Amino acid sequence: MTTQHTTWFKAAPIAAFPENGGACVKYNDRQIAVFHFKQLDKWYATDNECPHKHQMILSRGMLGDQQGHPKVACPFHKKTFSLETGLNLQGEDYCINVYPVKVEDGFVFIGV
């Protein structure tokens, strides 16, 4: 689920994020999962909390593709979410917030 964004938060240098994987950054009291989907040459940011069991784990999730849509799967229970929209790709009611990402001067910024 996309949320309104007004501020760009300087998360970390590009090198802090694994290729085709994720890492967690903290903005105020929020944990945000940042993913570098190298195969697509794209960056994504979502809530780090999986809404299924309320665990802060999505940054360690597995990246993949579902019918052309990039996704992350929770490493605990394999619940999958769109990295573009935050929707649960298994048709369940819960979803995650997604945030815009930009890369400038070797740093990753997240719209919050």
Side-chain angles (χ1 to χ4, degrees), residues 22-97:
C24 180
V25 298
K26 194 163 184 185
Y27 177 76
N28 294 332
D29 61 347
R30 240 185 286 187
Q31 287 190 31
I32 299 174
V34 179
F35 303 98
H36 182 196
F37 207 140
K38 181 72 173 175
Q39 293 166 321
L40 300 177
D41 195 28
K42 292 193 176 184
W43 290 82
Y44 299 96
T46 71
D47 290 334
N48 192 39
E49 181 181 21
C50 179
H52 174 237
K53 295 286 184 180
H54 303 288
Q55 296 164 304
M56 295 294 187
I57 193 65
L58 288 181
S59 63
R60 301 176 112 196
M62 297 158 282
L63 297 182
D65 177 279
Q66 185 167 327
Q67 299 175 2
H69 300 284
K71 68 176 183 177
V72 62
C74 176
F76 286 139
H77 302 102
K78 310 304 182 256
K79 301 295 181 183
T80 57
F81 302 92
S82 167
L83 290 170
E84 297 174 326
T85 66
L87 293 175
N88 180 296
L89 297 175
Q90 294 159 307
E92 297 171 274
D93 289 338
Y94 41 80
C95 57
I96 57 176
N97 289 315

Side-chain angles (χ1 to χ4, degrees), residues 7-27:
T7 303
W8 288 101
F9 161 61
K10 188 176 187 179
I14 292 171
F17 302 98
E19 292 182 354
N20 295 313
C24 180
V25 298
K26 194 163 184 185
Y27 177 76

